[in-house]
Amino acid sequence: MIPAPAFLSNPERFMAFSRWAAPMFGALAAGLGLAGLWLGFAAPEDYQQGDTVRIMFIHVPAAYMSMFVYACLAGASFLSLIFRHALADAAARAAAPLGAAFTFLALVTGSLWGRPMWGTWWEWDARMTSVLILFLLYVSYMALRASLDDETKAARAAAILALVGIVNLPVVKFSVDWWNSLHQGASVFRADGPAMPPIFLWPLGLMALAYTAAFGSLWLVGIRAEVWRRRAEAAALRAARS
Amino acid sequence: MIADLEIGNLALRRGGRLLFQGLELRLKAGEAAALTGRNGAGKTSLLRAIAGLVGLEAGTIGFGDLDPVLARSDHIHLVGHQDGQKPARTVREELDFWTLWTGGTSASAEMAARAFELTPLLDLEVRRLSAGQRRRLALARLLAAPRGLWLLDEPLSPLDADWRARFGAMMAQHLAGGGMIVAAVHDPLPIPAKALEISA
Amino acid sequence: MSRALALLRRETALAWGRGGGPLVSVGFYAGVATLLPLAIGPEPARLVAVAPGAAWVALALAALLSLDRLFERDYEDGALDLLVMSPTPLEITCAIKCLGQWIATAAPLALAAPIAAIALGAEPRLAPLIFACALVGGLAFSFVGGIGAALSLGARRGGLLTAVIVLPLFVPPVIFGGGALDAMAGGLPWASGFLLLSAYAAGAMALGPIAMAAACRNALS
């Protein structure tokens, strides 16, 4: 998905585009997801992990989405901060709960995977910890938006926070990796071990694409809802005055 | 030196509500404007917009040849309802800090304290002052650091009749020296001023 | 320059008096350090293992507690308006406010931190490093925390919101400082953790004021 802010910055054009793009992405997500799941269940059991390896097809794309959506959120925030564009802000606002949901999914599936793999529900492994902190960043973004009454101010404050977050993320990632290397004993599992056989790679790739398409569809729907909400509010305000 | 204030076709919005639009105001050196209007009409917002603190919905605010950033950092005083004085600090500490911050010296702070008869109060904490004394402390900044354009929000309300007259004389002197004043008022100003009624 | 110094004096004095200033921070810190053995049990073996880390986390919380009113009072009483209307750039003004905060609260906390850690059972030889980490980490906490304090201006429940915003951003300094202390306690090279903490503090001092100034302008508008 190539973002085309210049083309879509016109609200009318955006609404016309998203009207058919949102269901199309949705259909794409369903198709890819079904294919991915089919291949995932057709794949043989892992010789070490057995059947539980299939959680990977849900977990890994969710973890990837958690970061991808934050990048989208920060990109939209940057555009709304620089160009003061209402649509960019609507996009940032709509991305946050979706990103939080993907991150939460990654945490839950990671925990479910960890139970048979590591014998614990939660392991302070570097990746899991990074994702947990990312989840906290989403929560703080939504909390800030929710607690400022003035919408324009809330939008700008939240955009500043999103940019502070994206600058901090690599540092957080680095610090957590560094911390993990200090406490080697705790780390049990490294996914960057041997190369993954193609029979796992195919369903994983399809699922990642399906997640991306699903996000694209839901994001567009969320932005549309946000645009409608603002139009309704503006209309109510006009009606109240006349 | 700031010698012009030009407001053209100005519209301001607060919290989704359009306060006013199409507002025009021109001031030259030595002139004053008195803003009137009911509560919530946008007098305070207009003063804050001139000070550069709030964004404009439409229109322009200019200061002649002077760069707006420089005008707002060096040439404008704002005295609002909230005077920014900390209750636990002494009158001297507050006056000295704000004098220095706005570009005055300790000598000018002393002179301003005398003019507003704050000298006997200098070692008191701000919270011990009466409302009128506290307002005088806020107004003392105007004399302590010379800046051309005074933005005053209800400057007279906590002052008694005597101090209203004396501050009126100070305003007249500021105008005579080529200064400008924009004041939001309920009662008429004791100086000749352009009247500007703010309404939606 | 004299203007900046005057502001630093004012901010330090205000931070010193703000809600009890260092007394409250140090009191809070001592309270957390006291609760800890009560919660996890007084066996020295258990306490020694967690003492440096616990002292360090309590320090981050105490720093957070004092940040809450950094901009809030100036915002409410109109002083922030006047601070903006000055030749001093708002970024510098924000940096000076954080510096004043650091002098008034981080320095007393840095003195209290080694005492609390040793009381919890940390080895006395750790004291200089705890002190240094508390001083340097305090800078990072002030400048990162200031962003949260500025962003939550005008919000309902500002104090709690500041904590929610700031705690995820405290992860790197907590890790670096804790790592340095842990390494020294275990007889390992500790310099890298301390240097990373210093680098983080330097980065926060460089970038934090930009975000704070943007947030303050937004809150005033």
Side-chain angles (χ1 to χ4, degrees), chain A residues 139-200:
Chain A
V139 169
S140 68
Y141 178 90
M142 292 191 287
L144 177 60
R145 271 209 102 113
S147 30
L148 288 167
D149 288 325
D150 184 320
E151 278 208 21
T152 355
K153 283 190 190 181
R156 288 181 68 75
I160 295 169
L161 181 60
L163 292 184
V164 169
I166 200 92
V167 170
N168 252 279
L169 263 184
V171 187
V172 168
K173 182 89 183 78
F174 168 78
S175 69
V176 171
D177 285 345
W178 183 80
W179 164 77
N180 210 232
S181 73
L182 283 186
H183 307 264
Q184 264 304 340
S187 147
V188 185
F189 173 71
R190 302 203 90 70
D192 49 28
M196 204 176 284
I199 196 133
F200 290 139

Side-chain angles (χ1 to χ4, degrees), chain B:
Chain B
M1 189 63 195
I2 190 165
D4 288 287
L5 171 65
E6 292 145 4
I7 300 177
N9 195 28
L10 182 70
L12 289 185
R13 185 184 286 280
R14 295 299 286 158
R17 192 168 66 92
L18 193 67
L19 292 173
F20 54 77
Q21 52 190 342
L23 185 129
E24 305 273 343
L25 177 66
R26 293 239 179 311
L27 279 192
K28 294 250 162 266
E31 291 181 333
L35 311 177
T36 55
R38 54 182 175 72
N39 290 335
K43 300 188 293 285
T44 300
S45 295
L46 175 57
L47 292 178
R48 290 171 60 80
I50 298 173
L53 294 169
V54 303
L56 314 182
E57 176 76 6
T60 53
I61 297 179
F63 304 94
D65 300 333
L66 201 61
D67 173 35
V69 175
L70 187 65
R72 284 157 179 160
S73 68
D74 286 54
H75 296 284
I76 299 182
H77 268 305
L78 173 69
V79 179
H81 288 290
Q82 288 154 319
D83 55 14
Q85 325 269 8
K86 296 284 181 284
R89 304 244 295 161
T90 65
V91 172
R92 186 193 309 278
E93 284 171 331
E94 283 296 285
L95 183 59
D96 282 353
F97 170 71
W98 288 114
T99 302
L100 237 117
W101 188 251
T102 46
T105 60
S106 42
S108 63
E110 210 173 302
M111 184 272 294
R114 267 201 308 276
F116 281 92
E117 289 183 7
L118 294 166
T119 318
L121 307 174
L122 280 176
D123 292 315
L124 279 183
E125 287 176 349
V126 170
R127 64 167 158 223
R128 310 226 174 270
L129 302 187
S130 71
Q133 289 169 331
R134 205 175 151 144
R135 178 51 57 99
R136 268 151 56 199
L137 171 58
L139 292 172
R141 284 204 299 270
L142 299 171
L143 296 192
R147 290 183 166 203
L149 173 55
W150 293 1
L151 304 175
L152 310 174
D153 200 352
E154 308 275 357
L156 303 176
S157 45
L159 299 180
D160 61 25
D162 176 36
W163 271 106
R164 284 182 187 208
R166 288 163 81 168
F167 183 60
M170 291 178 196
M171 286 195 284
Q173 201 180 1
H174 177 63
L175 295 180
M180 294 187 289
I181 296 175
V182 181
V185 289
H186 280 301
D187 312 315
L189 275 183
I191 48 167
K194 292 185 180 180
L196 183 65
E197 163 132 23
I198 307 222
S199 60

Side-chain angles (χ1 to χ4, degrees), chain A residues 67-138:
Chain A
M67 279 172 268
F68 177 74
V69 177
Y70 201 87
C72 292
L73 171 66
S77 298
F78 178 76
L79 291 178
S80 94
L81 209 54
I82 300 297
F83 301 110
R84 302 200 168 216
H85 202 286
L87 209 53
D89 174 54
R93 183 177 186 153
L98 294 174
F102 279 119
T103 315
F104 187 69
L105 183 65
L107 287 173
V108 169
T109 52
S111 165
L112 288 176
W113 199 8
R115 180 68 192 148
M117 284 294 305
W118 300 327
T120 55
W121 291 108
W122 180 261
E123 189 64 51
W124 288 99
D125 146 90
R127 285 154 195 271
M128 293 289 279
T129 310
S130 293
V131 173
L132 177 61
I133 293 162
L134 183 58
F135 183 67
L136 296 180
L137 281 178
Y138 278 116

